[in-house]
Amino acid sequence: MNREKSATEANDIMLVRGSHGRGRARVTHAVVVIFLEFFAWGLLTTPMLTVLHKTFPQHTFLMNGLVQGVKGFLSFLSAPLIGALSDIWGRKSFLLMTVFFTCAPIPFMKISPWWYFALISVSGIFAVTFSVIFAYVADITEEHERSTAYGLVSATFAASLVTSPAIGDFLSAKYGDSLVVLVATVVAVVDIAFVFFVVPESLPDKMRLTSWGFPISWEQADPFASLRRVGKDSTVLLICVTVFLSYLPEAGQYSSFFLYLRQVIEFSPAAIAGFIAMVGILSIVAQTLFLSVLMRTIGNKNTVLMGLSFQLFQLAWYSFGSEPWMMWAAGTVAAMSSITFPAISALVSHSAAPDQQGVAQGMITGIRGLCNGLGPALYGFIFFVFHVELDPVSEGTTPNTEKLMVPGPPFLFGACAVLFALLVAVFIPDHHQLGDTKNSSTCKSTSSIAHAQNSSPLATSPSDAEDIEPLLQDSSL
């Protein structure tokens, strides 16, 4: 009987992982959900810049940084808990919840701008769609297929931003912002309906039922748990410092760069949409074609160093550039810098022992989540300190930001941070097993992971599900 029961459970697992049977969960479902959600937000790129300036005319950059900073920090705090709960109650319900609350602010852009920005901030509690999506993908793919599936999801995110800002700008110019908001709302509703009616559950019923009543420890829900393990291994410490110093300016840049292009560099809405499309397409090429070639020829560490060098050059160009052509040229460099994080993820994966993969990747993910909260607020504050504001500019006049010797002070700060990241990355060893350093905390974390796996065989660690994140994520959207 026990043999028959084990065979039945193994059958259920294979049905889900092989995408056959009643559930028929597929990576395609995850791709569609991500595309529709970020396509809806991409449509609002041009209207959002207008509403942001009208709502906060005095300190636009500062308020934008605070709004996006609060959202990012709340996402960092809530992601582990939502991930742990989805391991017990299934992915679909939490996927529906995250998509709904992430898209909920969209119609309020026209109803009430103040409520719109307030809801964006609060929605950070549930704005962890990628966390649930990656867990969903992990449920239905084998380990050797997972990185390819994650890459497909990330590429879909970039593809949604390639087209949607341009479409939104065209509709805004032709028919006004109200139609753009309406179309974005309809796309969001379609996404929610797709999750509710079409997307199947990725965890089989038996795996979820055996987890009911299983207590969620504070260790599972604590977003700072992985950060406390950073100092346990010197290589992990070097990698984490590199990630923090390089991703902090990246997170801040994505929260304010479109505002910067429109006011300081005087890009038109159409030019901004074209810029996003160009960087998105080049980033997809860099992450698929160039990354694989570089990893095979020069290795993981040298690829990380090359990516950081591109990022340093890009940020320095952004900070001193004052002409539109300079931004376009720097955008090509920015696309090449997008190889940095996947190269770091690969470096961690190759360095970590098999039983330390989740812990190592969790540390990296935790630091990136923290940067998503700190980066936008820091950039907004630096713009405020240097008096870079969105003052109304009439025709025939030039903005007063041209008086600054450095048009983009936050980008100069970011370049300095990446320079330090580059210096730290030089000392990362080429070959190192993170499992070589054995201590009580390692044993404790390994035993706790084993206990969680015994309680829920298909439960996927949130850190394992989040170990690869989209590189073009724009926290201002």
Side-chain angles (χ1 to χ4, degrees):
M1 291 294 294
N2 289 336
R3 186 175 298 176
E4 290 179 2
K5 183 179 179 182
S6 300
T8 303
E9 290 182 353
N11 241 356
D12 290 339
I13 295 173
M14 291 305 296
L15 286 176
V16 174
R17 286 190 177 274
S19 298
H20 298 295
R22 293 171 62 185
R24 303 182 66 85
R26 303 177 188 276
V27 176
T28 310
H29 293 116
V31 167
V32 172
V33 171
I34 287 296
F35 181 85
L36 290 176
E37 177 177 319
F38 288 95
F39 186 87
W41 278 106
L43 289 171
L44 299 177
T45 302
T46 298
M48 187 192 63
L49 297 178
T50 303
V51 172
L52 184 64
H53 178 35
K54 289 182 178 178
T55 308
F56 307 110
Q58 297 301 317
H59 305 298
T60 309
F61 281 108
L62 178 62
M63 294 307 299
N64 176 66
L66 290 177
V67 169
Q68 302 301 332
V70 170
K71 178 183 177 182
F73 193 70
L74 289 177
S75 297
F76 164 70
L77 294 177
S78 64
L81 177 60
I82 291 179
L85 290 175
S86 72
D87 285 340
I88 294 178
W89 295 335
R91 314 295 183 200
K92 180 172 180 176
S93 57
F94 284 92
L95 189 57
L96 183 65
M97 181 179 68
T98 56
V99 171
F100 175 81
F101 282 102
T102 301
C103 295
I106 291 178
F108 286 88
M109 177 177 283
K110 279 299 177 183
I111 298 173
S112 172
W114 282 97
W115 274 105
Y116 168 72
F117 289 109
L119 287 175
I120 285 181
S121 298
V122 177
S123 70
I125 299 174
F126 303 100
V128 291
T129 305
F130 271 104
S131 301
V132 184
I133 282 291
F134 282 135
Y136 188 96
V137 171
D139 294 337
I140 59 178
T141 56
E142 299 294 341
E143 187 175 351
H144 67 278
E145 305 169 330
R146 204 160 294 161
S147 60
T148 302
Y150 286 167
L152 179 60
V153 173
S154 299
T156 302
F157 164 81
S160 70
L161 294 183
V162 167
T163 55
S164 55
I167 295 174
D169 176 62
F170 172 78
L171 293 176
S172 177
K174 274 281 187 182
Y175 306 104
D177 290 346
S178 297
L179 180 64
V180 181
V181 174
L182 177 61
V183 173
T185 303
V186 170
V187 173
V189 171
V190 171
D191 194 17
I192 295 169
F194 180 80
V195 175
F196 186 81
F197 293 107
V198 180
V199 174
E201 176 56 59
S202 62
L203 287 178
D205 291 339
K206 287 187 177 181
M207 299 304 106
R208 283 182 285 137
L209 290 174
T210 54
S211 299
W212 277 92
F214 178 72
I216 297 177
S217 66
W218 171 244
E219 182 74 11
Q220 290 176 280
D222 182 10
F224 298 97
S226 62
L227 302 182
R228 286 195 288 267
R229 302 191 188 104
V230 168
K232 302 297 182 182
D233 186 283
S234 59
T235 301
V236 172
L237 180 61
L238 290 173
I239 292 175
C240 288
V241 171
T242 301
V243 171
F244 179 82
L245 291 175
S246 63
Y247 193 69
L248 183 68
E250 184 177 341
Q253 170 188 324
Y254 290 146
S255 71
S256 58
F257 191 59
F258 299 151
L259 288 172
Y260 180 78
L261 286 179
R262 184 164 183 176
Q263 172 63 17
V264 179
I265 310 300
E266 298 183 85
F267 266 42
S268 66
I272 292 175
F275 184 90
I276 296 172
M278 181 201 72
V279 175
I281 292 172
L282 292 179
S283 295
I284 293 173
V285 174
Q287 294 173 48
T288 54
L289 179 62
F290 289 105
L291 179 62
S292 59
V293 173
L294 290 172
M295 296 282 276
R296 287 196 305 267
T297 55
I298 65 177
N300 290 351
K301 177 183 173 180
N302 290 329
T303 303
V304 172
L305 295 175
M306 179 173 289
L308 290 173
S309 300
F310 279 120
Q311 186 181 6
L312 173 61
F313 184 40
Q314 160 222 333
L315 288 170
W317 207 338
Y318 281 162
S319 62
F320 290 102
S322 58
E323 298 294 331
W325 71 266
M326 296 180 179
M327 297 297 106
W328 286 99
T332 61
V333 180
M336 285 302 300
S337 71
S338 66
I339 66 175
T340 303
F341 187 70
I344 289 178
S345 294
L347 181 64
V348 171
S349 179
H350 283 87
S351 299
D355 62 343
Q356 294 291 300
Q357 290 286 336
V359 174
Q361 295 287 0
M363 295 177 189
I364 305 301
T365 302
I367 289 176
R368 280 171 62 90
L370 187 61
C371 289
N372 279 328
L374 295 177
L378 181 61
Y379 264 49
F381 178 73
I382 294 176
F383 273 123
F384 172 73
V385 169
F386 284 87
H387 307 290
V388 180
E389 296 295 343
L390 285 177
D391 297 324
V393 180
S394 57
E395 288 191 27
T397 63
T398 56
N400 57 16
T401 49
E402 289 190 356
K403 297 177 182 178
L404 292 174
M405 185 172 61
V406 180
F411 304 113
L412 182 60
F413 163 82
C416 294
V418 173
L419 176 61
F420 284 112
L422 190 60
L423 295 176
V424 172
V426 170
F427 295 97
I428 298 175
D430 291 314
H431 302 287
H432 175 76
Q433 281 292 320
L434 303 186
D436 291 345
T437 307
K438 300 291 184 183
N439 50 49
S440 59
S441 65
T442 302
C443 297
K444 181 178 179 182
S445 62
T446 304
S447 63
S448 65
I449 292 172
H451 175 69
Q453 289 174 339
N454 290 335
S455 303
S456 179
L458 273 185
T460 304
S461 166
S463 60
D464 181 52
E466 298 171 5
D467 57 359
I468 300 178
E469 295 186 21
L471 300 170
L472 289 178
Q473 182 167 0
D474 180 10
S475 54
S476 69
L477 296 183

